[in-house]
Amino acid sequence: YAAKAGGQGVAVHDDAADRAWRRRLALSDDLHLALGPDAAPEAAGQFAVHYQPQVSAAGTCVGVEALVRWQHPRLGVLAPGAFLDVLEERRLMPALTALVARRAVADLARWRAAGHDLRLSFNLSSTHLCDPGLLPLLDELVAGGADPAHLVVEVTETSLMNDPDRALVTCQDITARGFSLSIDDFGTGYSSLAYLANLPADELKIDRTFTSRALADARIAAIVAGTVELAHHLGLRVVAEGVEDTATLDLLRELGCDESQGYLHSRPVPAAEFLSWLQARQGVTAAVR
Ligand code: C2E
Ligand code: MG
Ligand code: MG
Ligand code: MG
């Protein structure tokens, strides 16, 4: 854009790129208004936490992942992909994840009190992994009454690789507090087996790019099978992400995945809707027994 203003270089006027740029700037300002240090307290209400179930091979819902949605004042509901990178840029990710974690932990407490034996997973970004506010946040959750044995921190393989040594130390700090650690989007990054073996992880989530192709491509299925075997040797539980149909679920179960998550079971939904789903599902499981 500087080049364009200076009148040199390629002078192609690209309306689409221009609109995207303006939109990004606007989002950046709006995020700052909603989450920045001077944000009005009620602005936190623009963010909703949705929940997606994690289902065991036996068919029981054993966990739930918290996924944020932004109810933008003018643009409607935005998925994380539309604003997470802008958040990172504005260094507002820790504020958002704290909001999500606090709210999700409160929801989990209500579900557990109602007799649902669930664990809760929430996502950490790469910058948050190196943020001095992370461990105090985890301590705050525990001080507020949450049992870290029920909480899973998801970190993507890629974000671990940004600064592997530092990430390893943080991961050790996380698990020393009793939280579980999950490696998210596994297979899309470039971690080495040696690094993986040293990581105090409890769970590995196989990325959707693999699970969605396992049925159609025998080589992908072989990669999944090998990953499961490796993970099990390292003592990790394996969750298959992005499962959309029964045939894929059956295959992934055959390949040894312990749990699955995906639209087949449920899309990410608001807390009340998740509870209804859970109750309906338990009715079905009880009837089968
Ligand atoms: P993720 O942690 O890998 O979450 C799974 C994503 O896959 C979610 O996208 C979910 O809606 C989507 N998904 C689940 N099942 C299916 C399926 O069967 N088919 C398809 N096509 N998609 C499925 P979503 O909610 O848009 O989130 C995208 C990413 O944004 C997440 O990927 C996570 O990395 C990040 N994210 C979400 N919430 C937060 C948060 O509170 N904090 C941070 N730091 N990152 C978050
Ligand atoms: Mg995740
Ligand atoms: Mg994932
Ligand atoms: Mg993914």
Side-chain angles (χ1 to χ4, degrees):
Y1 287 86
K4 198 159 80 186
Q8 44 178 291
V10 223
V12 181
H13 187 78
D14 186 340
D15 280 332
D18 216 57
R19 272 199 304 276
W21 176 252
R22 274 176 219 285
R23 183 185 157 101
R24 232 183 126 79
L25 279 184
L27 283 187
S28 176
D29 287 345
D30 296 339
L31 281 171
H32 190 75
L33 279 175
L35 287 169
D38 308 319
E42 64 272 15
Q46 290 175 19
F47 297 93
V49 182
H50 285 196
Y51 297 95
Q52 188 177 39
Q54 299 172 325
V55 176
S56 74
T60 313
C61 178
V62 287
V64 61
E65 178 174 6
L67 294 157
V68 73
R69 303 289 179 261
W70 183 16
Q71 178 70 57
H72 188 277
R74 295 180 313 280
L75 300 172
V77 178
L78 300 182
F83 63 91
L84 285 186
D85 56 333
V86 186
L87 258 187
E88 288 273 26
E89 224 172 74
R90 293 300 301 254
R91 297 178 201 277
L92 292 169
M93 188 63 95
L96 177 83
T97 305
L99 185 156
V100 170
R102 287 181 188 127
R103 213 176 289 162
V105 159
D107 284 333
L108 178 72
R110 283 190 281 108
W111 297 329
R112 292 195 63 89
H116 301 288
D117 186 13
L118 296 173
R119 34 162 224 266
L120 166 79
S121 301
F122 58 92
N123 295 280
L124 278 193
S125 74
S126 59
T127 52
H128 204 174
L129 204 55
C130 298
D131 187 84
L134 174 62
L135 298 175
L137 170 67
L138 299 185
D139 291 338
E140 175 209 303
L141 297 175
V142 175
D147 183 346
H150 304 145
L151 300 178
V152 182
V153 174
E154 294 193 5
V155 181
T156 67
E157 187 192 11
T158 307
S159 66
L160 288 167
M161 288 306 109
N162 279 350
D163 187 348
D165 296 336
R166 191 154 168 197
L168 178 60
V169 173
T170 307
C171 288
Q172 285 162 345
D173 288 335
I174 292 171
T175 53
R177 283 164 167 76
F179 290 75
S180 296
L181 182 73
S182 173
I183 309 171
D184 204 353
D185 300 352
F186 185 77
T188 60
Y190 298 92
S191 58
S192 72
L193 295 181
Y195 184 80
L196 200 61
N198 275 325
L199 209 61
D202 305 276
E203 178 184 280
L204 188 151
K205 301 185 80 172
I206 301 183
D207 193 70
R208 182 165 62 88
T209 52
F210 296 95
T211 56
S212 65
R213 286 158 63 206
L215 208 53
D217 188 338
R219 289 168 309 171
I220 299 287
I223 292 174
V224 173
T227 304
V228 170
E229 199 185 339
L230 170 75
H232 284 169
H233 278 304
L234 295 174
L236 308 181
R237 157 178 86 222
V238 179
V239 181
E241 291 193 285
V243 180
E244 295 186 352
D245 59 85
T246 319
T248 300
L249 177 64
D250 290 343
L251 172 63
L252 292 168
R253 241 193 244 143
E254 250 170 63
L255 296 178
C257 292
D258 304 294
E259 294 173 15
S260 58
Q261 190 180 337
Y263 293 171
L264 173 67
H265 302 303
S266 167
R267 285 180 181 259
V269 291
E273 222 175 295
F274 169 68
L275 188 58
S276 313
W277 178 90
L278 196 59
Q279 286 162 341
R281 172 136 194 140
Q282 282 197 330
V284 173
T285 328
V288 170
R289 274 203 202 104

